[in-house]
Every structure is written in structure tokens, then in C-alpha cells.
mmCIF file of all heavy atoms in Angstrom:
data_model
loop_
_atom_site.group_PDB
_atom_site.id
_atom_site.type_symbol
_atom_site.label_atom_id
_atom_site.label_comp_id
_atom_site.label_asym_id
_atom_site.label_seq_id
_atom_site.Cartn_x
_atom_site.Cartn_y
_atom_site.Cartn_z
ATOM 1 N N SER K 1 -35.102 78.140 19.171
ATOM 2 C CA SER K 1 -34.313 77.394 20.158
ATOM 3 C C SER K 1 -33.098 76.834 19.423
ATOM 4 O O SER K 1 -33.243 76.143 18.414
ATOM 5 C CB SER K 1 -35.137 76.265 20.776
ATOM 6 O OG SER K 1 -35.485 75.309 19.799
ATOM 7 N N LEU K 2 -31.913 77.182 19.916
ATOM 8 C CA LEU K 2 -30.663 76.772 19.275
ATOM 9 C C LEU K 2 -30.023 75.660 20.108
ATOM 10 O O LEU K 2 -29.694 75.874 21.282
ATOM 11 C CB LEU K 2 -29.710 77.961 19.154
ATOM 12 C CG LEU K 2 -30.256 79.176 18.395
ATOM 13 C CD1 LEU K 2 -29.272 80.330 18.450
ATOM 14 C CD2 LEU K 2 -30.565 78.820 16.953
ATOM 15 N N LEU K 3 -29.850 74.496 19.514
ATOM 16 C CA LEU K 3 -29.350 73.332 20.236
ATOM 17 C C LEU K 3 -28.205 72.689 19.466
ATOM 18 O O LEU K 3 -28.291 72.518 18.245
ATOM 19 C CB LEU K 3 -30.491 72.314 20.417
ATOM 20 C CG LEU K 3 -30.148 70.971 21.060
ATOM 21 C CD1 LEU K 3 -29.747 71.174 22.525
ATOM 22 C CD2 LEU K 3 -31.337 70.025 20.975
ATOM 23 N N VAL K 4 -27.121 72.362 20.178
ATOM 24 C CA VAL K 4 -26.016 71.599 19.591
ATOM 25 C C VAL K 4 -26.004 70.235 20.264
ATOM 26 O O VAL K 4 -25.976 70.145 21.496
ATOM 27 C CB VAL K 4 -24.660 72.309 19.800
ATOM 28 C CG1 VAL K 4 -23.530 71.460 19.210
ATOM 29 C CG2 VAL K 4 -24.674 73.689 19.164
ATOM 30 N N ASN K 5 -26.042 69.169 19.475
ATOM 31 C CA ASN K 5 -26.172 67.819 20.019
ATOM 32 C C ASN K 5 -25.056 66.933 19.474
ATOM 33 O O ASN K 5 -24.981 66.689 18.267
ATOM 34 C CB ASN K 5 -27.547 67.250 19.640
ATOM 35 C CG ASN K 5 -27.879 65.992 20.411
ATOM 36 O OD1 ASN K 5 -27.053 65.467 21.148
ATOM 37 N ND2 ASN K 5 -29.094 65.513 20.236
ATOM 38 N N ARG K 6 -24.193 66.474 20.383
ATOM 39 C CA ARG K 6 -23.129 65.561 19.963
ATOM 40 C C ARG K 6 -23.703 64.160 19.760
ATOM 41 O O ARG K 6 -24.373 63.623 20.639
ATOM 42 C CB ARG K 6 -22.021 65.535 21.016
ATOM 43 C CG ARG K 6 -20.850 64.655 20.610
ATOM 44 C CD ARG K 6 -19.746 64.699 21.646
ATOM 45 N NE ARG K 6 -18.688 63.773 21.304
ATOM 46 C CZ ARG K 6 -17.628 63.536 22.057
ATOM 47 N NH1 ARG K 6 -17.495 64.185 23.215
ATOM 48 N NH2 ARG K 6 -16.704 62.685 21.689
ATOM 49 N N THR K 7 -23.438 63.596 18.602
ATOM 50 C CA THR K 7 -23.962 62.267 18.276
ATOM 51 C C THR K 7 -22.802 61.300 18.033
ATOM 52 O O THR K 7 -21.723 61.707 17.596
ATOM 53 C CB THR K 7 -24.844 62.322 17.012
ATOM 54 O OG1 THR K 7 -24.094 62.926 15.950
ATOM 55 C CG2 THR K 7 -26.104 63.131 17.259
ATOM 56 N N GLN K 8 -23.053 60.047 18.306
ATOM 57 C CA GLN K 8 -21.990 59.040 18.134
ATOM 58 C C GLN K 8 -21.867 58.566 16.691
ATOM 59 O O GLN K 8 -20.790 58.204 16.231
ATOM 60 C CB GLN K 8 -22.283 57.835 19.043
ATOM 61 C CG GLN K 8 -22.234 58.152 20.522
ATOM 62 C CD GLN K 8 -20.885 58.664 20.967
ATOM 63 O OE1 GLN K 8 -19.839 58.135 20.575
ATOM 64 N NE2 GLN K 8 -20.890 59.718 21.777
ATOM 65 N N ASN K 9 -22.993 58.568 15.974
ATOM 66 C CA ASN K 9 -22.979 58.007 14.615
ATOM 67 C C ASN K 9 -24.157 58.558 13.809
ATOM 68 O O ASN K 9 -24.994 59.296 14.328
ATOM 69 C CB ASN K 9 -23.030 56.479 14.673
ATOM 70 C CG ASN K 9 -24.143 55.997 15.592
ATOM 71 O OD1 ASN K 9 -25.261 56.521 15.561
ATOM 72 N ND2 ASN K 9 -23.843 54.996 16.429
ATOM 73 N N ALA K 10 -24.221 58.138 12.549
ATOM 74 C CA ALA K 10 -25.286 58.610 11.654
ATOM 75 C C ALA K 10 -26.659 58.139 12.118
ATOM 76 O O ALA K 10 -27.652 58.864 11.957
ATOM 77 C CB ALA K 10 -25.019 58.118 10.233
ATOM 78 N N LYS K 11 -26.721 56.965 12.730
ATOM 79 C CA LYS K 11 -28.005 56.430 13.199
ATOM 80 C C LYS K 11 -28.655 57.380 14.201
ATOM 81 O O LYS K 11 -29.856 57.646 14.149
ATOM 82 C CB LYS K 11 -27.782 55.056 13.830
ATOM 83 C CG LYS K 11 -29.078 54.357 14.227
ATOM 84 C CD LYS K 11 -28.784 52.976 14.807
ATOM 85 C CE LYS K 11 -30.093 52.299 15.244
ATOM 86 N NZ LYS K 11 -29.826 50.964 15.838
ATOM 87 N N GLU K 12 -27.840 57.926 15.127
ATOM 88 C CA GLU K 12 -28.360 58.891 16.110
ATOM 89 C C GLU K 12 -28.831 60.168 15.413
ATOM 90 O O GLU K 12 -29.831 60.771 15.806
ATOM 91 C CB GLU K 12 -27.295 59.227 17.148
ATOM 92 C CG GLU K 12 -27.092 58.136 18.183
ATOM 93 C CD GLU K 12 -26.160 58.593 19.304
ATOM 94 O OE1 GLU K 12 -26.006 59.817 19.510
ATOM 95 O OE2 GLU K 12 -25.581 57.715 19.964
ATOM 96 N N LYS K 13 -28.101 60.576 14.388
ATOM 97 C CA LYS K 13 -28.495 61.787 13.636
ATOM 98 C C LYS K 13 -29.850 61.579 12.973
ATOM 99 O O LYS K 13 -30.715 62.457 13.013
ATOM 100 C CB LYS K 13 -27.437 62.129 12.583
ATOM 101 C CG LYS K 13 -26.129 62.644 13.162
ATOM 102 C CD LYS K 13 -25.209 63.139 12.042
ATOM 103 C CE LYS K 13 -23.919 63.702 12.596
ATOM 104 N NZ LYS K 13 -23.070 64.314 11.560
ATOM 105 N N TYR K 14 -30.029 60.409 12.348
ATOM 106 C CA TYR K 14 -31.302 60.128 11.680
ATOM 107 C C TYR K 14 -32.455 60.140 12.684
ATOM 108 O O TYR K 14 -33.553 60.630 12.388
ATOM 109 C CB TYR K 14 -31.254 58.774 10.966
ATOM 110 C CG TYR K 14 -30.276 58.712 9.813
ATOM 111 C CD1 TYR K 14 -29.476 57.594 9.607
ATOM 112 C CD2 TYR K 14 -30.147 59.789 8.931
ATOM 113 C CE1 TYR K 14 -28.577 57.525 8.549
ATOM 114 C CE2 TYR K 14 -29.242 59.727 7.875
ATOM 115 C CZ TYR K 14 -28.455 58.603 7.696
ATOM 116 O OH TYR K 14 -27.566 58.547 6.659
ATOM 117 N N ALA K 15 -32.216 59.614 13.889
ATOM 118 C CA ALA K 15 -33.270 59.582 14.914
ATOM 119 C C ALA K 15 -33.673 61.004 15.305
ATOM 120 O O ALA K 15 -34.862 61.303 15.475
ATOM 121 C CB ALA K 15 -32.779 58.807 16.136
ATOM 122 N N ARG K 16 -32.680 61.905 15.441
ATOM 123 C CA ARG K 16 -32.978 63.289 15.794
ATOM 124 C C ARG K 16 -33.748 63.981 14.658
ATOM 125 O O ARG K 16 -34.688 64.741 14.893
ATOM 126 C CB ARG K 16 -31.692 64.074 16.093
ATOM 127 C CG ARG K 16 -30.986 63.672 17.362
ATOM 128 C CD ARG K 16 -31.851 63.855 18.591
ATOM 129 N NE ARG K 16 -32.342 65.227 18.737
ATOM 130 C CZ ARG K 16 -33.406 65.561 19.442
ATOM 131 N NH1 ARG K 16 -34.124 64.634 20.055
ATOM 132 N NH2 ARG K 16 -33.786 66.828 19.538
ATOM 133 N N ILE K 17 -33.348 63.714 13.425
ATOM 134 C CA ILE K 17 -34.034 64.319 12.276
ATOM 135 C C ILE K 17 -35.488 63.861 12.229
ATOM 136 O O ILE K 17 -36.408 64.671 12.053
ATOM 137 C CB ILE K 17 -33.306 63.969 10.955
ATOM 138 C CG1 ILE K 17 -31.969 64.708 10.883
ATOM 139 C CG2 ILE K 17 -34.168 64.324 9.744
ATOM 140 C CD1 ILE K 17 -31.071 64.239 9.745
ATOM 141 N N LEU K 18 -35.715 62.551 12.429
ATOM 142 C CA LEU K 18 -37.085 62.029 12.401
ATOM 143 C C LEU K 18 -37.923 62.635 13.517
ATOM 144 O O LEU K 18 -39.112 62.914 13.328
ATOM 145 C CB LEU K 18 -37.065 60.504 12.515
ATOM 146 C CG LEU K 18 -36.620 59.772 11.241
ATOM 147 C CD1 LEU K 18 -36.309 58.308 11.543
ATOM 148 C CD2 LEU K 18 -37.694 59.882 10.152
ATOM 149 N N HIS K 19 -37.297 62.900 14.668
ATOM 150 C CA HIS K 19 -38.018 63.565 15.762
ATOM 151 C C HIS K 19 -38.519 64.942 15.311
ATOM 152 O O HIS K 19 -39.682 65.292 15.539
ATOM 153 C CB HIS K 19 -37.085 63.718 16.970
ATOM 154 C CG HIS K 19 -37.563 64.721 17.973
ATOM 155 N ND1 HIS K 19 -38.572 64.442 18.879
ATOM 156 C CD2 HIS K 19 -37.202 66.023 18.197
ATOM 157 C CE1 HIS K 19 -38.797 65.519 19.618
ATOM 158 N NE2 HIS K 19 -37.986 66.485 19.228
ATOM 159 N N HIS K 20 -37.654 65.707 14.647
ATOM 160 C CA HIS K 20 -38.041 67.048 14.197
ATOM 161 C C HIS K 20 -39.091 66.987 13.082
ATOM 162 O O HIS K 20 -40.011 67.804 13.054
ATOM 163 C CB HIS K 20 -36.805 67.824 13.729
ATOM 164 C CG HIS K 20 -35.930 68.284 14.849
ATOM 165 N ND1 HIS K 20 -36.324 69.246 15.752
ATOM 166 C CD2 HIS K 20 -34.687 67.905 15.218
ATOM 167 C CE1 HIS K 20 -35.351 69.440 16.631
ATOM 168 N NE2 HIS K 20 -34.347 68.637 16.333
ATOM 169 N N VAL K 21 -38.937 66.039 12.175
ATOM 170 C CA VAL K 21 -39.911 65.900 11.075
ATOM 171 C C VAL K 21 -41.297 65.606 11.639
ATOM 172 O O VAL K 21 -42.294 66.207 11.211
ATOM 173 C CB VAL K 21 -39.477 64.792 10.090
ATOM 174 C CG1 VAL K 21 -40.588 64.481 9.104
ATOM 175 C CG2 VAL K 21 -38.219 65.214 9.335
ATOM 176 N N ARG K 22 -41.368 64.711 12.628
ATOM 177 C CA ARG K 22 -42.670 64.337 13.192
ATOM 178 C C ARG K 22 -43.256 65.449 14.050
ATOM 179 O O ARG K 22 -44.480 65.633 14.093
ATOM 180 C CB ARG K 22 -42.527 63.042 13.988
ATOM 181 C CG ARG K 22 -42.362 61.828 13.066
ATOM 182 C CD ARG K 22 -41.760 60.636 13.762
ATOM 183 N NE ARG K 22 -41.530 59.546 12.803
ATOM 184 C CZ ARG K 22 -40.659 58.560 12.993
ATOM 185 N NH1 ARG K 22 -39.919 58.530 14.091
ATOM 186 N NH2 ARG K 22 -40.519 57.631 12.071
ATOM 187 N N ALA K 23 -42.380 66.211 14.710
ATOM 188 C CA ALA K 23 -42.871 67.282 15.589
ATOM 189 C C ALA K 23 -43.160 68.573 14.828
ATOM 190 O O ALA K 23 -44.165 69.240 15.070
ATOM 191 C CB ALA K 23 -41.844 67.560 16.689
ATOM 192 N N GLY K 24 -42.271 68.897 13.876
ATOM 193 C CA GLY K 24 -42.383 70.202 13.213
ATOM 194 C C GLY K 24 -42.940 70.166 11.809
ATOM 195 O O GLY K 24 -43.395 71.175 11.293
ATOM 196 N N LYS K 25 -42.889 68.996 11.167
ATOM 197 C CA LYS K 25 -43.433 68.778 9.820
ATOM 198 C C LYS K 25 -42.703 69.553 8.723
ATOM 199 O O LYS K 25 -42.239 68.981 7.763
ATOM 200 C CB LYS K 25 -44.931 69.086 9.775
ATOM 201 C CG LYS K 25 -45.776 68.192 10.654
ATOM 202 C CD LYS K 25 -47.230 68.451 10.444
ATOM 203 C CE LYS K 25 -48.166 67.592 11.228
ATOM 204 N NZ LYS K 25 -47.676 66.637 12.168
ATOM 205 N N ARG K 26 -42.622 70.880 8.813
ATOM 206 C CA ARG K 26 -42.015 71.687 7.747
ATOM 207 C C ARG K 26 -40.598 72.091 8.144
ATOM 208 O O ARG K 26 -40.411 72.738 9.186
ATOM 209 C CB ARG K 26 -42.838 72.950 7.493
ATOM 210 C CG ARG K 26 -44.237 72.683 7.010
ATOM 211 C CD ARG K 26 -45.017 73.968 6.815
ATOM 212 N NE ARG K 26 -45.279 74.657 8.067
ATOM 213 C CZ ARG K 26 -46.256 74.346 8.900
ATOM 214 N NH1 ARG K 26 -47.076 73.333 8.630
ATOM 215 N NH2 ARG K 26 -46.430 75.026 10.014
ATOM 216 N N GLY K 27 -39.599 71.719 7.328
ATOM 217 C CA GLY K 27 -38.247 72.080 7.740
ATOM 218 C C GLY K 27 -37.192 71.868 6.683
ATOM 219 O O GLY K 27 -37.458 71.382 5.578
#
């Protein structure tokens, strides 16, 4: 699944990364 997500700041980026880490574990 290819997704492009516009973020306002680094804080939003970190939240998205943590979502993937918790859901996918390996990345």
C-alpha cells in the first residue's frame, strides 16, 4: 500500500512512524 501523507511538522511525522512501528514491528 503506497501512501503519501502531508504533515504539518515533525511531531506529526513521529506519530505516523510510531503507528507503523506498533502495527508492523519490522521496518
Side-chain angles (χ1 to χ4, degrees):
S1 64
L2 303 175
L3 175 67
V4 178
N5 193 354
R6 183 178 175 184
T7 54
Q8 295 300 317
N9 49 43
K11 186 178 178 181
E12 284 188 22
K13 290 188 178 186
Y14 294 139
R16 291 300 304 158
I17 290 170
L18 285 166
H19 163 78
H20 286 292
V21 170
R22 286 160 185 158
K25 297 186 178 3
R26 297 178 293 279

